Amino acid sequence: MHVDDLGRAFALAAEDAPAGTLLHVVGGVSTAKEMSEAIGRLIGAPEATSALPLDVARRELPIADWMAVRQRIGARRVRDLLGWRPEGPSIAADLAEGTYRRLLPQ
């Protein structure tokens, strides 16, 4: 999710959520593949994104198992309790076209 959306959710939770409330704040659905493709577009090398069989990825990438986990986390509770709604771009869109561009070497 976009950092501004996360900041608004955090501020709402700090001000209005009952003590001890557990909230999941997510802005949408994204996959490791979508994130990798967005990073490829960001660095100008979309063709460099490719999939690996899990056994190969485990040897090459320490976080392969984490990236391969399929999790669904919803933000219904934070929306219902605090009225929060994400407004910014998705993380994949922001990676490919947004604020992360300023971090690239010139």
Side-chain angles (χ1 to χ4, degrees), residues 30-103:
S30 60
T31 65
K33 180 181 182 210
E34 291 167 338
M35 301 288 285
S36 298
E37 289 171 346
I39 292 168
R41 289 191 303 277
L42 172 69
I43 64 172
E47 72 286 348
T49 302
S50 62
L52 295 173
L54 188 54
D55 61 321
V56 174
R58 283 180 173 139
R59 289 192 303 269
E60 301 293 326
L61 188 63
I63 61 170
D65 284 313
W66 171 77
M67 292 180 72
V69 170
R70 185 178 189 129
Q71 297 182 33
R72 290 200 161 253
I73 299 171
R76 177 180 286 165
R77 189 171 187 197
V78 72
R79 291 175 182 183
D80 291 349
L81 182 64
L82 304 176
W84 174 86
R85 301 282 185 276
E87 298 172 359
S90 70
I91 186 65
D94 199 30
L95 274 169
E97 299 138 17
T99 57
Y100 290 88
R101 287 207 169 276
R102 67 182 169 84
L103 301 175

